[in-house]
Amino acid sequence: MTTPSATIEPRHFRDVMGHLPTSVVVVAGREAGTGRPAGLVVGTFQSLSLDPPLVTFSVANTSSSWPRIRPTGHFSASVLAAGQHDVCRTLAGKHDNKFAALDWHESTHSCPQITGAHAWIDCRTAQELEGGDHVIVIAEVQRLQAGTGDPLIFHRGRLGGYRDLQL
Ligand SMILES: Cc1cc2nc3c(=O)[nH]c(=O)nc-3n(C[C@H](O)[C@H](O)[C@H](O)COP(=O)(O)O)c2cc1C
């Protein structure tokens, strides 16, 4: 069934696009000025280019964490592992100090990396493009490392590993 774009309800858009399984990635850096850790969860993180090595994700214009990280030009992406549901819930929230109760360590640029994650990717922001009510961030990969285990997956509003998707 096709629907003219002007009549697409945001809820319907989210419901249908939620059929696309995604990774769950923490984008984190240091707040410019104070150096406090800041970050958020994104499901839009992906590789963009091999040569040069680029990644991309989109961030909502309503994000309060990205504007705090942006001026530093650096962030680290932690690909969450199966079982890190609580990390996802904490960083997808709007708390002031999301990192206080989390297990994390520092990247070479002092960006927070989630301990026990499935992979870590250190990035330097290269470009931001407008994308409706989001901005598309393009970043150069400076260092990356794989962890162990399985990834955390988000699908149709549920979080889990390959076999145990749960609310
Ligand atoms: C699985 C999952 C995927 C998400 N993907 C994105 C995303 O790609 N871009 C985005 O801006 N927000 C995304 N969010 C929502 C943000 O994590 C959420 O709005 C968060 O509160 C933003 O925090 P901030 O205001 O501190 O930046 C996602 C949330 C979840 C749970």
Side-chain angles (χ1 to χ4, degrees), residues 20 22-23 25 27 42-49 53-58 75 77 79 121 123 136-139 141:
L20 203 66
T22 73
S23 60
V25 174
V27 168
V42 302
T44 47
F45 194 91
Q46 58 183 307
S47 64
L48 173 65
S49 162
L54 299 174
V55 290
T56 179
F57 66 95
S58 64
F75 65 88
V79 180
I121 304 146
C123 304
I136 302 161
V137 179
I138 297 174
V141 175

PDB file of all heavy atoms in Angstrom, residues 20 22-23 25 27 42-49 53-58 75 77 79 121 123 136-139 141:
ATOM      1  N   LEU A  20      13.213  -2.225  10.618  1.00  0.00           N
ATOM      2  CA  LEU A  20      14.616  -2.282  10.203  1.00  0.00           C
ATOM      3  C   LEU A  20      15.459  -2.508  11.456  1.00  0.00           C
ATOM      4  O   LEU A  20      15.591  -1.604  12.280  1.00  0.00           O
ATOM      5  CB  LEU A  20      14.961  -0.932   9.571  1.00  0.00           C
ATOM      6  CG  LEU A  20      16.105  -0.803   8.593  1.00  0.00           C
ATOM      7  CD1 LEU A  20      15.827  -1.577   7.323  1.00  0.00           C
ATOM      8  CD2 LEU A  20      16.302   0.677   8.251  1.00  0.00           C
ATOM      9  N   THR A  22      18.494  -2.446  13.946  1.00  0.00           N
ATOM     10  CA  THR A  22      19.682  -1.582  13.976  1.00  0.00           C
ATOM     11  C   THR A  22      20.620  -1.992  15.106  1.00  0.00           C
ATOM     12  O   THR A  22      20.230  -2.645  16.064  1.00  0.00           O
ATOM     13  CB  THR A  22      19.325  -0.092  14.189  1.00  0.00           C
ATOM     14  OG1 THR A  22      18.927   0.107  15.545  1.00  0.00           O
ATOM     15  CG2 THR A  22      18.231   0.376  13.247  1.00  0.00           C
ATOM     16  N   SER A  23      21.842  -1.528  14.980  1.00  0.00           N
ATOM     17  CA  SER A  23      22.784  -1.619  16.089  1.00  0.00           C
ATOM     18  C   SER A  23      22.386  -0.576  17.131  1.00  0.00           C
ATOM     19  O   SER A  23      21.533   0.283  16.886  1.00  0.00           O
ATOM     20  CB  SER A  23      24.197  -1.353  15.585  1.00  0.00           C
ATOM     21  OG  SER A  23      24.247  -0.062  15.018  1.00  0.00           O
ATOM     22  N   VAL A  25      24.358   2.125  19.448  1.00  0.00           N
ATOM     23  CA  VAL A  25      25.697   2.702  19.570  1.00  0.00           C
ATOM     24  C   VAL A  25      25.650   3.931  20.478  1.00  0.00           C
ATOM     25  O   VAL A  25      24.777   4.781  20.336  1.00  0.00           O
ATOM     26  CB  VAL A  25      26.240   3.083  18.167  1.00  0.00           C
ATOM     27  CG1 VAL A  25      27.566   3.819  18.270  1.00  0.00           C
ATOM     28  CG2 VAL A  25      26.383   1.828  17.305  1.00  0.00           C
ATOM     29  N   VAL A  27      27.301   7.320  21.305  1.00  0.00           N
ATOM     30  CA  VAL A  27      28.183   8.382  20.813  1.00  0.00           C
ATOM     31  C   VAL A  27      28.500   9.271  22.008  1.00  0.00           C
ATOM     32  O   VAL A  27      27.585   9.846  22.613  1.00  0.00           O
ATOM     33  CB  VAL A  27      27.497   9.182  19.685  1.00  0.00           C
ATOM     34  CG1 VAL A  27      28.275  10.451  19.367  1.00  0.00           C
ATOM     35  CG2 VAL A  27      27.331   8.313  18.446  1.00  0.00           C
ATOM     36  N   VAL A  42      22.460   6.118  19.649  1.00  0.00           N
ATOM     37  CA  VAL A  42      21.942   6.246  18.281  1.00  0.00           C
ATOM     38  C   VAL A  42      21.791   4.863  17.647  1.00  0.00           C
ATOM     39  O   VAL A  42      22.550   3.943  17.948  1.00  0.00           O
ATOM     40  CB  VAL A  42      22.841   7.134  17.379  1.00  0.00           C
ATOM     41  CG1 VAL A  42      22.984   8.529  17.967  1.00  0.00           C
ATOM     42  CG2 VAL A  42      24.190   6.510  17.136  1.00  0.00           C
ATOM     43  N   GLY A  43      20.796   4.768  16.780  1.00  0.00           N
ATOM     44  CA  GLY A  43      20.588   3.530  16.017  1.00  0.00           C
ATOM     45  C   GLY A  43      20.915   3.737  14.550  1.00  0.00           C
ATOM     46  O   GLY A  43      20.617   2.881  13.715  1.00  0.00           O
ATOM     47  N   THR A  44      21.527   4.871  14.262  1.00  0.00           N
ATOM     48  CA  THR A  44      21.764   5.266  12.868  1.00  0.00           C
ATOM     49  C   THR A  44      23.239   5.222  12.497  1.00  0.00           C
ATOM     50  O   THR A  44      23.624   5.707  11.434  1.00  0.00           O
ATOM     51  CB  THR A  44      21.225   6.692  12.646  1.00  0.00           C
ATOM     52  OG1 THR A  44      21.678   7.531  13.713  1.00  0.00           O
ATOM     53  CG2 THR A  44      19.708   6.709  12.599  1.00  0.00           C
ATOM     54  N   PHE A  45      24.058   4.647  13.373  1.00  0.00           N
ATOM     55  CA  PHE A  45      25.499   4.630  13.130  1.00  0.00           C
ATOM     56  C   PHE A  45      25.829   3.587  12.064  1.00  0.00           C
ATOM     57  O   PHE A  45      25.372   2.447  12.131  1.00  0.00           O
ATOM     58  CB  PHE A  45      26.231   4.288  14.425  1.00  0.00           C
ATOM     59  CG  PHE A  45      27.700   4.564  14.382  1.00  0.00           C
ATOM     60  CD1 PHE A  45      28.199   5.796  14.786  1.00  0.00           C
ATOM     61  CD2 PHE A  45      28.593   3.603  13.952  1.00  0.00           C
ATOM     62  CE1 PHE A  45      29.552   6.065  14.757  1.00  0.00           C
ATOM     63  CE2 PHE A  45      29.951   3.866  13.914  1.00  0.00           C
ATOM     64  CZ  PHE A  45      30.430   5.099  14.322  1.00  0.00           C
ATOM     65  N   GLN A  46      26.639   3.970  11.086  1.00  0.00           N
ATOM     66  CA  GLN A  46      27.050   3.006  10.065  1.00  0.00           C
ATOM     67  C   GLN A  46      28.320   3.474   9.362  1.00  0.00           C
ATOM     68  O   GLN A  46      28.686   4.646   9.445  1.00  0.00           O
ATOM     69  CB  GLN A  46      25.953   2.786   9.037  1.00  0.00           C
ATOM     70  CG  GLN A  46      25.509   4.032   8.320  1.00  0.00           C
ATOM     71  CD  GLN A  46      24.353   3.741   7.361  1.00  0.00           C
ATOM     72  OE1 GLN A  46      24.448   2.851   6.514  1.00  0.00           O
ATOM     73  NE2 GLN A  46      23.272   4.470   7.520  1.00  0.00           N
ATOM     74  N   SER A  47      28.977   2.540   8.665  1.00  0.00           N
ATOM     75  CA  SER A  47      30.145   2.931   7.892  1.00  0.00           C
ATOM     76  C   SER A  47      29.676   3.637   6.630  1.00  0.00           C
ATOM     77  O   SER A  47      28.603   3.345   6.091  1.00  0.00           O
ATOM     78  CB  SER A  47      31.011   1.718   7.559  1.00  0.00           C
ATOM     79  OG  SER A  47      30.320   0.831   6.733  1.00  0.00           O
ATOM     80  N   LEU A  48      30.486   4.596   6.151  1.00  0.00           N
ATOM     81  CA  LEU A  48      30.126   5.392   4.982  1.00  0.00           C
ATOM     82  C   LEU A  48      31.129   5.196   3.863  1.00  0.00           C
ATOM     83  O   LEU A  48      30.745   5.100   2.695  1.00  0.00           O
ATOM     84  CB  LEU A  48      30.058   6.874   5.384  1.00  0.00           C
ATOM     85  CG  LEU A  48      29.856   7.897   4.273  1.00  0.00           C
ATOM     86  CD1 LEU A  48      28.482   7.708   3.628  1.00  0.00           C
ATOM     87  CD2 LEU A  48      29.990   9.310   4.809  1.00  0.00           C
ATOM     88  N   SER A  49      32.413   5.163   4.203  1.00  0.00           N
ATOM     89  CA  SER A  49      33.458   5.118   3.183  1.00  0.00           C
ATOM     90  C   SER A  49      34.645   4.335   3.728  1.00  0.00           C
ATOM     91  O   SER A  49      34.966   4.438   4.923  1.00  0.00           O
ATOM     92  CB  SER A  49      33.880   6.561   2.844  1.00  0.00           C
ATOM     93  OG  SER A  49      35.125   6.592   2.186  1.00  0.00           O
ATOM     94  N   PRO A  53      38.482   6.327   5.529  1.00  0.00           N
ATOM     95  CA  PRO A  53      37.547   5.653   6.442  1.00  0.00           C
ATOM     96  C   PRO A  53      36.613   6.652   7.119  1.00  0.00           C
ATOM     97  O   PRO A  53      37.055   7.461   7.929  1.00  0.00           O
ATOM     98  CB  PRO A  53      38.469   4.965   7.456  1.00  0.00           C
ATOM     99  CG  PRO A  53      39.738   5.729   7.413  1.00  0.00           C
ATOM    100  CD  PRO A  53      39.868   6.326   6.045  1.00  0.00           C
ATOM    101  N   LEU A  54      35.333   6.590   6.745  1.00  0.00           N
ATOM    102  CA  LEU A  54      34.331   7.510   7.287  1.00  0.00           C
ATOM    103  C   LEU A  54      33.162   6.731   7.861  1.00  0.00           C
ATOM    104  O   LEU A  54      32.810   5.660   7.351  1.00  0.00           O
ATOM    105  CB  LEU A  54      33.801   8.440   6.185  1.00  0.00           C
ATOM    106  CG  LEU A  54      34.786   9.368   5.484  1.00  0.00           C
ATOM    107  CD1 LEU A  54      34.091  10.085   4.329  1.00  0.00           C
ATOM    108  CD2 LEU A  54      35.364  10.373   6.473  1.00  0.00           C
ATOM    109  N   VAL A  55      32.553   7.294   8.887  1.00  0.00           N
ATOM    110  CA  VAL A  55      31.310   6.756   9.443  1.00  0.00           C
ATOM    111  C   VAL A  55      30.277   7.873   9.470  1.00  0.00           C
ATOM    112  O   VAL A  55      30.626   9.057   9.307  1.00  0.00           O
ATOM    113  CB  VAL A  55      31.520   6.187  10.863  1.00  0.00           C
ATOM    114  CG1 VAL A  55      32.351   4.924  10.840  1.00  0.00           C
ATOM    115  CG2 VAL A  55      32.134   7.244  11.778  1.00  0.00           C
ATOM    116  N   THR A  56      29.031   7.509   9.699  1.00  0.00           N
ATOM    117  CA  THR A  56      27.971   8.508   9.759  1.00  0.00           C
ATOM    118  C   THR A  56      26.911   8.085  10.777  1.00  0.00           C
ATOM    119  O   THR A  56      26.758   6.894  11.069  1.00  0.00           O
ATOM    120  CB  THR A  56      27.333   8.705   8.368  1.00  0.00           C
ATOM    121  OG1 THR A  56      26.297   9.675   8.471  1.00  0.00           O
ATOM    122  CG2 THR A  56      26.736   7.424   7.835  1.00  0.00           C
ATOM    123  N   PHE A  57      26.235   9.060  11.340  1.00  0.00           N
ATOM    124  CA  PHE A  57      25.029   8.814  12.137  1.00  0.00           C
ATOM    125  C   PHE A  57      24.188  10.082  12.058  1.00  0.00           C
ATOM    126  O   PHE A  57      24.679  11.140  11.638  1.00  0.00           O
ATOM    127  CB  PHE A  57      25.353   8.438  13.595  1.00  0.00           C
ATOM    128  CG  PHE A  57      25.999   9.540  14.388  1.00  0.00           C
ATOM    129  CD1 PHE A  57      25.229  10.390  15.183  1.00  0.00           C
ATOM    130  CD2 PHE A  57      27.367   9.737  14.356  1.00  0.00           C
ATOM    131  CE1 PHE A  57      25.818  11.406  15.920  1.00  0.00           C
ATOM    132  CE2 PHE A  57      27.963  10.756  15.087  1.00  0.00           C
ATOM    133  CZ  PHE A  57      27.192  11.585  15.868  1.00  0.00           C
ATOM    134  N   SER A  58      22.920   9.980  12.442  1.00  0.00           N
ATOM    135  CA  SER A  58      22.092  11.181  12.454  1.00  0.00           C
ATOM    136  C   SER A  58      21.659  11.471  13.882  1.00  0.00           C
ATOM    137  O   SER A  58      21.440  10.555  14.683  1.00  0.00           O
ATOM    138  CB  SER A  58      20.885  11.032  11.531  1.00  0.00           C
ATOM    139  OG  SER A  58      20.035  10.012  11.964  1.00  0.00           O
ATOM    140  N   PHE A  75      34.692  12.412  19.164  1.00  0.00           N
ATOM    141  CA  PHE A  75      33.787  11.552  19.944  1.00  0.00           C
ATOM    142  C   PHE A  75      34.255  10.119  19.775  1.00  0.00           C
ATOM    143  O   PHE A  75      35.047   9.792  18.878  1.00  0.00           O
ATOM    144  CB  PHE A  75      32.330  11.727  19.499  1.00  0.00           C
ATOM    145  CG  PHE A  75      32.018  11.283  18.100  1.00  0.00           C
ATOM    146  CD1 PHE A  75      31.647   9.969  17.823  1.00  0.00           C
ATOM    147  CD2 PHE A  75      32.111  12.179  17.040  1.00  0.00           C
ATOM    148  CE1 PHE A  75      31.360   9.562  16.520  1.00  0.00           C
ATOM    149  CE2 PHE A  75      31.832  11.780  15.741  1.00  0.00           C
ATOM    150  CZ  PHE A  75      31.450  10.469  15.478  1.00  0.00           C
ATOM    151  N   ALA A  77      32.588   6.150  19.535  1.00  0.00           N
ATOM    152  CA  ALA A  77      31.367   5.357  19.383  1.00  0.00           C
ATOM    153  C   ALA A  77      31.605   3.987  20.015  1.00  0.00           C
ATOM    154  O   ALA A  77      32.573   3.308  19.677  1.00  0.00           O
ATOM    155  CB  ALA A  77      31.025   5.206  17.900  1.00  0.00           C
ATOM    156  N   VAL A  79      29.889   0.388  20.335  1.00  0.00           N
ATOM    157  CA  VAL A  79      28.825  -0.489  19.821  1.00  0.00           C
ATOM    158  C   VAL A  79      28.416  -1.398  20.980  1.00  0.00           C
ATOM    159  O   VAL A  79      29.215  -2.238  21.426  1.00  0.00           O
ATOM    160  CB  VAL A  79      29.340  -1.335  18.636  1.00  0.00           C
ATOM    161  CG1 VAL A  79      28.234  -2.242  18.096  1.00  0.00           C
ATOM    162  CG2 VAL A  79      29.894  -0.430  17.536  1.00  0.00           C
ATOM    163  N   ILE A 121      34.972   2.846  18.274  1.00  0.00           N
ATOM    164  CA  ILE A 121      35.436   3.561  17.090  1.00  0.00           C
ATOM    165  C   ILE A 121      35.675   5.023  17.489  1.00  0.00           C
ATOM    166  O   ILE A 121      34.731   5.732  17.846  1.00  0.00           O
ATOM    167  CB  ILE A 121      34.388   3.459  15.954  1.00  0.00           C
ATOM    168  CG1 ILE A 121      34.087   1.987  15.657  1.00  0.00           C
ATOM    169  CG2 ILE A 121      34.879   4.165  14.687  1.00  0.00           C
ATOM    170  CD1 ILE A 121      32.671   1.722  15.248  1.00  0.00           C
ATOM    171  N   CYS A 123      36.547   8.833  16.649  1.00  0.00           N
ATOM    172  CA  CYS A 123      36.237   9.621  15.455  1.00  0.00           C
ATOM    173  C   CYS A 123      36.549  11.104  15.639  1.00  0.00           C
ATOM    174  O   CYS A 123      36.515  11.618  16.757  1.00  0.00           O
ATOM    175  CB  CYS A 123      34.742   9.510  15.142  1.00  0.00           C
ATOM    176  SG  CYS A 123      34.161   7.823  14.932  1.00  0.00           S
ATOM    177  N   ILE A 136      22.943  15.067   9.828  1.00  0.00           N
ATOM    178  CA  ILE A 136      23.734  13.885   9.473  1.00  0.00           C
ATOM    179  C   ILE A 136      25.185  14.229   9.771  1.00  0.00           C
ATOM    180  O   ILE A 136      25.740  15.171   9.201  1.00  0.00           O
ATOM    181  CB  ILE A 136      23.561  13.554   7.973  1.00  0.00           C
ATOM    182  CG1 ILE A 136      22.092  13.310   7.643  1.00  0.00           C
ATOM    183  CG2 ILE A 136      24.428  12.354   7.595  1.00  0.00           C
ATOM    184  CD1 ILE A 136      21.777  13.428   6.164  1.00  0.00           C
ATOM    185  N   VAL A 137      25.773  13.477  10.685  1.00  0.00           N
ATOM    186  CA  VAL A 137      27.172  13.704  11.058  1.00  0.00           C
ATOM    187  C   VAL A 137      28.047  12.753  10.245  1.00  0.00           C
ATOM    188  O   VAL A 137      27.764  11.550  10.176  1.00  0.00           O
ATOM    189  CB  VAL A 137      27.386  13.450  12.564  1.00  0.00           C
ATOM    190  CG1 VAL A 137      28.849  13.662  12.947  1.00  0.00           C
ATOM    191  CG2 VAL A 137      26.459  14.334  13.400  1.00  0.00           C
ATOM    192  N   ILE A 138      29.083  13.307   9.620  1.00  0.00           N
ATOM    193  CA  ILE A 138      30.082  12.497   8.912  1.00  0.00           C
ATOM    194  C   ILE A 138      31.390  12.667   9.665  1.00  0.00           C
ATOM    195  O   ILE A 138      31.787  13.799   9.988  1.00  0.00           O
ATOM    196  CB  ILE A 138      30.229  12.946   7.449  1.00  0.00           C
ATOM    197  CG1 ILE A 138      28.896  12.731   6.712  1.00  0.00           C
ATOM    198  CG2 ILE A 138      31.364  12.194   6.751  1.00  0.00           C
ATOM    199  CD1 ILE A 138      28.876  13.264   5.293  1.00  0.00           C
ATOM    200  N   ALA A 139      32.045  11.547   9.978  1.00  0.00           N
ATOM    201  CA  ALA A 139      33.243  11.621  10.807  1.00  0.00           C
ATOM    202  C   ALA A 139      34.341  10.715  10.278  1.00  0.00           C
ATOM    203  O   ALA A 139      34.082   9.642   9.723  1.00  0.00           O
ATOM    204  CB  ALA A 139      32.902  11.235  12.246  1.00  0.00           C
ATOM    205  N   VAL A 141      37.345   8.162  10.875  1.00  0.00           N
ATOM    206  CA  VAL A 141      37.730   7.164  11.880  1.00  0.00           C
ATOM    207  C   VAL A 141      39.234   7.296  12.138  1.00  0.00           C
ATOM    208  O   VAL A 141      40.036   7.266  11.204  1.00  0.00           O
ATOM    209  CB  VAL A 141      37.386   5.745  11.401  1.00  0.00           C
ATOM    210  CG1 VAL A 141      37.903   4.706  12.385  1.00  0.00           C
ATOM    211  CG2 VAL A 141      35.884   5.605  11.214  1.00  0.00           C
TER     212      VAL A 141
END
